[in-house]
Amino acid sequence: ITGFNLSPWMEEFDSEEFSGISKLLQQKFIQGTWRTQIQDVVPLDKVVSGLKNYLGNMSGGKILLKP
C-alpha cells in the first residue's frame, strides 16, 4: 500500500467497525504477513542528517529515531 490517506477512509466506518478492522490489520503485522520496511535507526544527535537522507529516499523505508 502506498499513498494511502487514512483519515478520510476512517470516516466511512463507525467506531465498532473500525475497531474490528484495526484488530485484523494489527494481526497481519504481528503474524509477519505484512512488514514495515526500516531503512535506518538514527540517534537524536543525528536527526537532521537522518531526515535529509530519508527525504532523499522515502521509498526505502521509515527511519526510527533512537534516544
Side-chain angles (χ1 to χ4, degrees):
I1 299 174
T2 59
F4 179 73
N5 190 344
L6 181 64
S7 296
W9 181 78
M10 285 175 53
E11 294 173 1
E12 296 178 20
F13 303 96
D14 64 33
S15 61
E16 186 175 318
E17 288 174 311
F18 184 77
S19 178
I21 293 167
S22 178
K23 288 177 185 176
L24 174 68
L25 297 177
Q26 289 175 47
Q27 284 301 313
K28 296 289 186 186
F29 284 100
I30 291 168
Q31 295 166 350
T33 305
W34 294 345
R35 291 182 292 260
T36 298
Q37 183 69 30
I38 306 295
Q39 68 171 287
D40 201 1
V41 178
V42 179
L44 290 178
D45 63 336
K46 306 238 190 256
V47 70
V48 172
S49 63
L51 286 173
K52 285 181 183 178
N53 290 338
Y54 171 71
L55 290 172
N57 183 23
M58 292 171 60
S59 58
K62 300 181 182 315
I63 63 167
L64 300 179
L65 303 177
K66 180 179 178 180

